[in-house]
Amino acid sequence: MNINQDLFATFAFHAGLMAVKTLGMAFATVKQRISNNNVMTKEDASMRPGAKIGVGVNEDVERVRRAHQNDIENIFPFLTLGFLYLFTNPALSTATSVFRIFSGARIMHTIVYLWEVPQPSRAIAFFAGMGANLYMGYKVLSTFASAM
Amino acid sequence: MNINQDLFATFAFHAGLMAVKTLGMAFATVKQRISNNNVMTKEDASMRPGAKIGVGVNEDVERVRRAHQNDIENIFPFLTLGFLYLFTNPALSTATSVFRIFSGARIMHTIVYLWEVPQPSRAIAFFAGMGANLYMGYKVLSTFASAM
Amino acid sequence: MNINQDLFATFAFHAGLMAVKTLGMAFATVKQRISNNNVMTKEDASMRPGAKIGVGVNEDVERVRRAHQNDIENIFPFLTLGFLYLFTNPALSTATSVFRIFSGARIMHTIVYLWEVPQPSRAIAFFAGMGANLYMGYKVLSTFASAM
């Protein structure tokens, strides 16, 4: 149950980066809400008279919210799969590559999504991150299958 | 702070399975989007001329997205509660049962949701998973209450 | 890679509390759905004749769902950041304070959101929790930056 310190450090860096990156989406949403004068609830409207209230009323706001949700769907599973993957005895160089591919893909995904880069850019970024996740998932499940 | 290797292995298997299962919902959504010609953004529409753009326009797509969201709400807390539960000194057989009940309940929840099996099937699957989560939550909070 | 037992216990308590608190939002949603006779799917409507079906049709239900989503966006990153932060060699008293601030802020956030307390109450609770998360994120990234 002991894992190599360098291996853990690599995971800790990338997991921390991805968690902070996901938190950052809240600020991107706030920026779009202010630019487009779109607030979420009536108590918020008291601070911004004339603001449109509600979800789904401004496409720029919704775009950031969708990118945020996509991070939730992909980065949160990574935070657990990456940790469990450390216990499958991976080579440090392999694990570092997998974590870098994941982090790079998710940062690209957000850039491509928010700047509206034409497809298939977003699909490529999505599947690169998904591929890293599924690779780690396969390693975890095959290593621990006997404990089912 | 050391935990039994068999106990960890059981958690690792079920946590890995649940993380991969949640990731799989993305593919179920893509399948419904293609079947129903419903894309999310205007850059996606360039790849599928004539597609309806947006959220909430197709009930089959929304059904998968709701099942995905329900996994997020229940499986992601499990990934942490299950790990912390390992440190509450559970019997291996008890922990294995709790993890199996959770995994089984969440797989049933998705099947019942996507195949539209009449209620109370979905409610039963939901509360079985929730029960496993709350049981582990109680164990964790009571074990570590003095460190509040 | 060994961490102080008291430090781990403090994290375990607060992480367990926050995970259970997030799960609890499901019950708050169910309560509002029943009060407002608003169900999510047509198979649910068979149990509640005359219920309005769908998402976004009742503001009281949507308010709980938004508070739940805000927990997902902030508490789930905490569950990982808090754990990684344990490995940055914090003082026990500092870590305990950070965890208490986070837990307190998120509990306040929900109370303020559901009881519709005027702004800036919700903003203050949100940024207190976000601040704790970003502080831990900074500690994790600076500690493990060499393992990038």
Side-chain angles (χ1 to χ4, degrees), chain B residues 63 69 116 119 122 148, chain C residues 14 41-44 69:
Chain B
R63 181 174 284 275
Q69 183 69 13
E116 305 184 29
Q119 285 281 26
R122 201 174 87 240
M148 191 180 303
Chain C
H14 287 279
T41 66
K42 60 178 187 287
E43 61 276 29
D44 300 358
Q69 183 69 14

Side-chain angles (χ1 to χ4, degrees), chain A residues 4-14, chain C residues 1 144 147-148:
Chain A
N4 178 284
Q5 201 157 336
D6 291 338
L7 198 57
F8 183 79
T10 307
F11 168 70
F13 176 79
H14 287 279
Chain C
M1 280 274 320
F144 295 107
M148 192 182 300

Side-chain angles (χ1 to χ4, degrees), chain A residues 79-124:
Chain A
L79 299 177
T80 291
L81 287 175
F83 178 68
L84 297 174
Y85 171 60
L86 301 178
F87 297 89
T88 65
N89 201 26
L92 176 60
S93 59
T94 310
T96 305
S97 298
V98 172
F99 295 155
R100 283 180 184 161
I101 288 169
F102 186 83
S103 292
R106 293 309 307 178
I107 291 167
M108 282 308 302
H109 185 271
T110 298
I111 292 172
V112 159
Y113 213 151
L114 299 192
W115 272 259
E116 304 185 30
V117 179
Q119 286 280 27
S121 316
R122 200 175 88 240
I124 292 169

Side-chain angles (χ1 to χ4, degrees), chain C residues 75-91:
Chain C
I75 287 177
F76 293 172
F78 166 79
L79 299 177
T80 291
L81 287 175
F83 178 67
L84 297 175
Y85 171 60
L86 302 178
F87 297 89
T88 65
N89 201 25

Side-chain angles (χ1 to χ4, degrees), chain B residues 83-137:
Chain B
F83 178 67
L84 297 174
Y85 171 60
L86 301 178
F87 297 89
T88 65
N89 200 27
L92 176 60
S93 59
T94 311
T96 304
S97 297
V98 172
F99 295 155
R100 282 180 185 161
I101 288 168
F102 185 83
S103 292
R106 293 309 308 178
I107 290 168
M108 282 310 300
H109 184 271
T110 297
I111 291 172
V112 159
Y113 213 152
L114 299 192
W115 270 260
E116 305 184 29
V117 179
Q119 285 281 26
S121 316
R122 201 174 87 240
I124 292 169
F126 175 83
F127 283 110
M130 179 62 90
N133 260 340
L134 292 180
Y135 171 78
M136 293 186 294

